[in-house]
Amino acid sequence: AQTVTQSQPEMSVQEAETVTLSCTYDTSESDYYLFWYKQPPSRQMILVIRQEAYKQQNATENRFSVNFQKAAKSFSLKISDSQLGDAAMYFCAYRNRDDKIIFGKGTRLHILP
Amino acid sequence: GAVVSQHPSRVICKSGTSVKIECRSLDFQATTMFWYRQFPKQSLMLMATSNEGSKATYEQGVEKDKFLINHASLTLSTLTVTSAHPEDSSFYICSARDPTDGGGSPLHFGNGTRLTVT
């Protein structure tokens, strides 16, 4: 079975600075998808970024980018120019061939003004 | 973009009663929907996969007689918590993927339902 590990329960970053959230996963599949979701206090799940495992190029969405290391099974999220609105719970997620999504335990990100 | 609507957003019920939660895909058809449960300050745990026109697939440890899932149409799945008890109090979230959005399409989530059983 696949597992997703987020080793940082909480992180803080100064506004306008850069922060990296780590995520590792375990799988025997070769084709899969990875996602980062954001959950603000409203508890709405918001997609931040996605990565297809067959693509070597790291995905980028504005201030958000990933460092995808397939051999190491690592999928970290970098947030540049952090903003107060980025404060939320961030979940790393793995989607397997059965379409199920497995979430990590999450990292709570605090933005310091 | 794809939208998933979940209703109600909040419900309080008495112990022993049943509660139904609806999940609708508003602008796409979903043959599969997923139901998650989230305890405070914890991650989302997959409860079951709802399959249109057939039985739901439950994850290990989830009581299928307590959490009844019906997926009667391509846009509607319901989760009924039967004979609810205080330990069933939680945040329930449904999700679905738009199959026309390509292989890498993400799950779209409803806004969740906060269930409180008194």
Side-chain angles (χ1 to χ4, degrees):
Chain A
Q2 296 89 14
T3 58
V4 178
T5 302
Q6 292 179 250
S7 58
Q8 306 149 316
E10 287 194 61
M11 290 196 73
S12 296
V13 63
Q14 208 75 36
E15 195 176 0
E17 296 295 309
T18 296
V19 63
T20 298
L21 309 183
S22 64
C23 172
T24 58
Y25 57 95
D26 189 27
T27 184
S28 58
E29 297 176 340
S30 58
D31 195 18
Y32 48 87
Y33 300 90
L34 297 164
F35 306 88
W36 277 97
Y37 281 90
K38 167 185 176 180
Q39 188 180 43
S42 67
R43 303 190 82 168
Q44 173 67 47
M45 294 291 285
I46 302 166
L47 175 69
V48 175
I49 200 165
R50 73 179 95 171
Q51 175 81 43
E52 291 92 336
Y54 64 85
K55 288 186 177 179
Q56 292 189 341
Q57 187 173 7
N58 289 323
T60 299
E61 286 288 340
N62 301 313
R63 297 183 295 108
F64 299 88
S65 62
V66 298
N67 183 1
F68 174 48
Q69 302 289 328
K70 190 172 184 180
K73 295 178 183 173
S74 171
F75 183 59
S76 61
L77 174 70
K78 186 171 83 171
I79 306 174
S80 304
D81 185 25
S82 299
Q83 300 175 1
L84 294 177
D86 295 333
M89 196 75 170
Y90 285 80
F91 292 101
C92 179
Y94 172 102
R95 195 180 103 205
N96 66 14
R97 63 180 65 153
D98 295 327
D99 243 9
K100 291 182 183 178
I101 289 195
I102 299 116
F103 289 90
K105 291 187 182 298
T107 297
R108 183 166 300 282
L109 179 64
H110 303 278
I111 309 296
L112 306 174
Chain B
V3 176
V4 173
S5 174
Q6 187 172 341
H7 179 81
S9 58
R10 193 181 290 262
V11 59
I12 301 172
C13 70
K14 292 189 175 181
S15 189
T17 61
S18 295
V19 172
K20 180 185 284 189
I21 302 170
E22 292 188 349
C23 180
R24 294 180 185 272
S25 56
L26 296 186
D27 51 0
F28 65 97
Q29 295 184 329
T31 55
T32 304
M33 290 185 177
F34 302 93
W35 287 94
Y36 289 85
R37 182 174 181 175
Q38 186 179 31
F39 289 106
K41 298 185 179 181
Q42 293 191 24
S43 187
L44 283 74
M45 299 299 297
L46 180 63
M47 298 175 64
T49 303
S50 172
N51 303 300
E52 188 269 335
S54 64
K55 291 183 179 180
T57 306
Y58 290 82
E59 295 300 303
Q60 192 172 13
V62 178
E63 300 175 60
K64 56 184 174 185
D65 293 331
K66 165 162 278 293
F67 299 102
L68 298 180
I69 290 173
N70 184 275
H71 195 149
S73 77
L74 287 171
T75 59
L76 174 64
S77 175
T78 60
L79 168 68
T80 301
V81 183
T82 63
S83 186
H85 290 283
E87 57 265 31
D88 298 325
S89 298
S90 190
F91 191 68
Y92 295 87
I93 312 176
C94 71
S95 64
R97 189 172 73 85
D98 183 352
T100 67
D101 201 16
S105 61
L107 282 183
H108 301 282
F109 289 85
N111 286 336
T113 298
R114 184 182 300 280
L115 170 63
T116 303
V117 184
T118 60

